[in-house]
Amino acid sequence: MGKLIVGLGEALWDCLPNGSKLGGAPANFAYHASQFGNDAYAISAIGNDILGDQTIKEFDDKHLKHIMPCVGYPTGTVQVGLDHEGVPTYDIKRNVAWDNIPFTAEMEDIAKRCACVCFGSLAQRSTVSHDTIHRFIKSTSKDCLKIFDINLRQDFYNKEIIRESLTACDILKINDEELVTIGRLFGYPGLDMENKCHLILGKYNLKMLVLTCGTNGSYVFAHGMKSYQPTPKVEVVDTVGAGDSFTGSFAAAILAGMPVKEAHKLAVEVSAFVCTQPGAMPKLPERLLDRVK
């Protein structure tokens, strides 16, 4: 069954111009990690409503395991607008189910056994889910790979949450715009992109920092190592979930023992494929899945 991998945080519906699609970065991450033969779980919360029922049905249809307690709040939704290049803008509804994820005995059991957990900043906007995320992380073993996919959205983050999450993780995944925001927030003026990355890598004793720069390629920085991959030119349908597919496939490859540069190349190709498909959770072709053994 491969490794036990968890995406922890928001599960929500992206209400796109052409209809609603199940999304949320942690669920997208878990789905893509599962496609490489891993035992992956999406952990969040749903409401006692039609979208909650549809969430469970969709995860079941995609054979994605899940822990989704039903809480007294509506299932999360996001209004997604797409510009002429397919790049999304988000209006994320507040006080929804994933803001109120309870920490359960089942979650604690999974935490103790998991090989990798990915979490972001968005689900930490509320105290309840913030506390659940950090209790989960504290319950993992020292060998568990902890990925902080920062995902800065609207104004749902602050310095304390980011610092606490950087201290708790092994790998930071961030994009070029978020890096500028972090530079401003933490006062790293005048440093170029690469120097900022090395500063964060050293300051928080990270194993790796993954920097994505849209059409300008992506980087993986580790101590004494740098990997760069150009972004393939593809016919973009939408970019929703592309970053999560990058993280999910990168984590699957690293956990399978693939060298960082090869894992990086695979993640870029997976992400490019997802951009050519509608929605965040398309089925990946065998030519990509076969690369991870």
Side-chain angles (χ1 to χ4, degrees):
M1 270 311 290
K3 302 281 201 306
L4 180 49
I5 296 179
V6 171
L8 174 60
E10 65 274 12
L12 46 82
W13 286 79
D14 290 317
C15 303
L16 293 140
N18 58 351
S20 294
K21 292 237 184 286
L22 181 60
N28 297 339
F29 164 86
Y31 171 69
H32 287 291
S34 78
Q35 292 198 77
F36 290 92
N38 292 295
D39 190 17
Y41 280 78
I43 297 182
S44 187
I46 53 169
N48 183 15
D49 49 29
I50 289 169
L51 284 181
D53 296 341
Q54 283 181 294
T55 302
I56 300 303
K57 182 184 182 304
E58 190 126 347
F59 286 153
D60 288 344
D61 288 349
K62 291 185 182 298
H63 307 293
L64 177 60
K65 293 180 178 178
H66 49 80
I67 302 174
M68 295 275 152
C70 188
V71 296
Y73 297 84
T75 301
T77 54
V78 179
Q79 286 302 130
V80 184
L82 298 175
D83 72 12
H84 63 283
E85 290 174 341
V87 176
T89 54
Y90 303 95
D91 175 22
I92 303 165
K93 303 305 173 195
R94 296 169 187 262
N95 212 17
V96 290
W98 59 260
D99 285 315
N100 296 277
I101 306 167
F103 189 65
T104 65
E106 190 182 6
M107 288 179 198
E108 187 171 15
D109 174 59
I110 292 281
K112 285 175 178 164
R113 296 186 288 118
C114 81
C116 175
V117 57
C118 183
F119 64 102
S121 63
L122 181 55
Q124 297 185 62
R125 70 181 181 175
S126 73
T127 307
V128 176
S129 293
H130 165 273
D131 291 353
T132 291
I133 286 168
H134 287 278
R135 282 181 72 182
F136 187 99
I137 291 165
K138 285 185 173 78
S139 302
T140 60
S141 74
K142 66 174 190 342
D143 298 328
C144 175
L145 191 64
K146 293 170 275 290
I147 302 173
F148 179 37
D149 188 353
I150 195 166
N151 262 334
L152 301 181
R153 293 282 184 260
Q154 292 170 215
D155 57 348
F156 300 132
Y157 59 88
N158 60 45
K159 210 168 163 177
E160 287 66 41
I161 283 171
I162 292 167
R163 185 183 284 121
E164 186 182 11
S165 300
L166 285 169
T167 305
C169 76
D170 303 302
I171 298 176
L172 168 66
K173 178 170 172 287
I174 191 166
N175 68 33
D176 48 354
E177 289 174 9
E178 290 165 338
L179 187 64
V180 171
T181 303
I182 295 302
R184 259 194 230 116
L185 207 57
F186 285 89
Y188 307 147
L191 288 179
D192 69 14
M193 216 165 58
E194 205 163 316
N195 282 335
K196 269 190 197 125
C197 289
H198 282 296
L199 181 70
I200 295 166
L201 194 68
K203 187 173 171 59
Y204 294 97
N205 196 24
L206 304 178
K207 288 179 179 163
M208 282 181 250
L209 188 153
V210 179
L211 173 68
T212 58
C213 304
T215 55
N216 296 318
S218 57
Y219 299 82
V220 179
F221 298 102
H223 299 284
M225 191 227 71
K226 169 182 158 185
S227 172
Y228 170 76
Q229 284 289 329
T231 301
K233 286 190 168 43
V234 293
E235 205 59 47
V236 174
V237 172
D238 70 55
T239 62
V240 179
D244 308 322
S245 72
F246 181 113
T247 316
S249 49
F250 184 75
I254 290 293
L255 289 169
M258 194 181 268
V260 171
K261 291 187 177 184
E262 281 179 42
H264 182 194
K265 189 171 193 307
L266 173 69
V268 166
E269 289 174 33
V270 167
S271 176
F273 172 79
V274 171
C275 287
T276 68
Q277 307 295 307
M281 296 189 192
K283 191 163 171 31
L284 297 176
E286 292 300 324
R287 66 182 168 79
L288 293 172
L289 298 176
D290 287 348
R291 301 256 291 278
V292 176
K293 288 289 176 272

